[in-house]
Amino acid sequence: MILCAGEALIDMLPRTSTLGEDAYAPYAGGAVFNTAIALGRLGADVGFFSGFSADFFGDLLREKLAESHVDGTLAITVDRPCTVAFVKLVDGHATYAFYDENSAGRMLTEADLPVLPETVEAVFCGGISLPVEPCGAAYETLFVEASGTRVTMIDPNIRPGFIRDEPRYRARLDHMLAHADIVKVSDEDLLWIMGEGDIDAHVAALLDKGVKLVCLTMGAEGVKGVTARGTTHIQSTRVEVKDTVGAGDTFNAGLLAGLQRAGKLTKAAVADLDEETLRAALQLGSRAAAITVSRAGANPPWAEELEATS
């Protein structure tokens, strides 16, 4: 099982009412939640861990996990509000206003962490659950403890406007990156984390930290997968973009699903990926993300949709 651990929230997406008025509609979302949903739809064995509200928004999140064949039994349910994010779209690109104080997800603590079943072979973390307390500390602990025997992947998905204690967050990222097997970053993420400088040099620095695979997403230019063996570049699939909500999350899922399908989701295998396996996993992530951006909201494809377009 791939365990996705992090935020689950309600995205309020801009829509037009039947009277032609501007309106918002609730959709299940959150970067880590989206990755879990995409993994389930791609046929991966996947579980999800977070804190769910006991309200009807929490019910909606649990229903969406079940619909996409994601095991949510490790998640906890508490009597706190659900995180809500209002989304503004400009030319298909999303910006967010988050409402997260004292939420079920944010108030998760290390005491809430589950004992991971033996079936968990990989742990994925990232998103807005990392820069806030106390849940950020809980996910850091989960990630680092899992890294001894399980594949670990992080997608920081940096949102500077959400970071209140930058030194603490940078220290957390540095600690988690040092225990990560796979890191996915955009060039903007990498420059924020590592500072100004050469992107390739920054990627090399992550490999020097012990990361085995760095996936650098470059929008229309595709994605690079960089290991100690070299660089594999996948061109992006050309589609008409509706919006970019969930694109990176879907890529993460495709990559992990591809490695799981190939039987390469072990620490030893990820440390010694051959070019053919890596290319196939990157292509799966890229193709899945292309379908997601071709339709509104974070709506990852099912495995059958990818098969129909291959």
Side-chain angles (χ1 to χ4, degrees), residues 28-63:
V32 182
F33 181 90
N34 292 339
T35 295
I37 292 292
L39 276 163
R41 293 185 181 187
L42 290 174
D45 186 0
V46 56
F48 184 73
F49 171 70
S50 188
F52 285 132
S53 173
D55 64 15
F56 58 87
F57 281 147
D59 293 340
L60 173 62
L61 292 168
R62 285 185 291 271
E63 289 167 7

Side-chain angles (χ1 to χ4, degrees), residues 229-303:
R229 289 187 173 192
T231 300
T232 301
H233 183 201
I234 302 296
Q235 295 288 346
S236 62
T237 304
R238 302 296 175 179
V239 295
E240 182 178 345
V241 176
K242 292 286 187 182
D243 65 53
T244 60
V245 179
D249 311 326
T250 305
F251 170 82
N252 294 334
L255 176 79
L256 287 170
L259 294 176
Q260 189 181 64
R261 289 179 186 180
K264 300 292 186 179
L265 205 54
T266 67
K267 294 190 79 69
V270 169
D272 191 32
L273 283 176
D274 61 274
E275 200 273 343
E276 182 180 358
T277 299
L278 176 56
R279 180 172 293 277
L282 292 170
Q283 285 176 332
L284 180 58
S286 179
R287 290 176 55 224
I291 292 178
T292 297
V293 301
S294 71
R295 50 203 192 190
N299 184 11
W302 294 83

Side-chain angles (χ1 to χ4, degrees), residues 192-208:
W192 191 93
I193 295 167
M194 309 288 283
E196 293 300 320
D198 180 72
I199 292 293
D200 291 336
H202 286 336
V203 170
L206 286 178
L207 295 177
D208 288 341

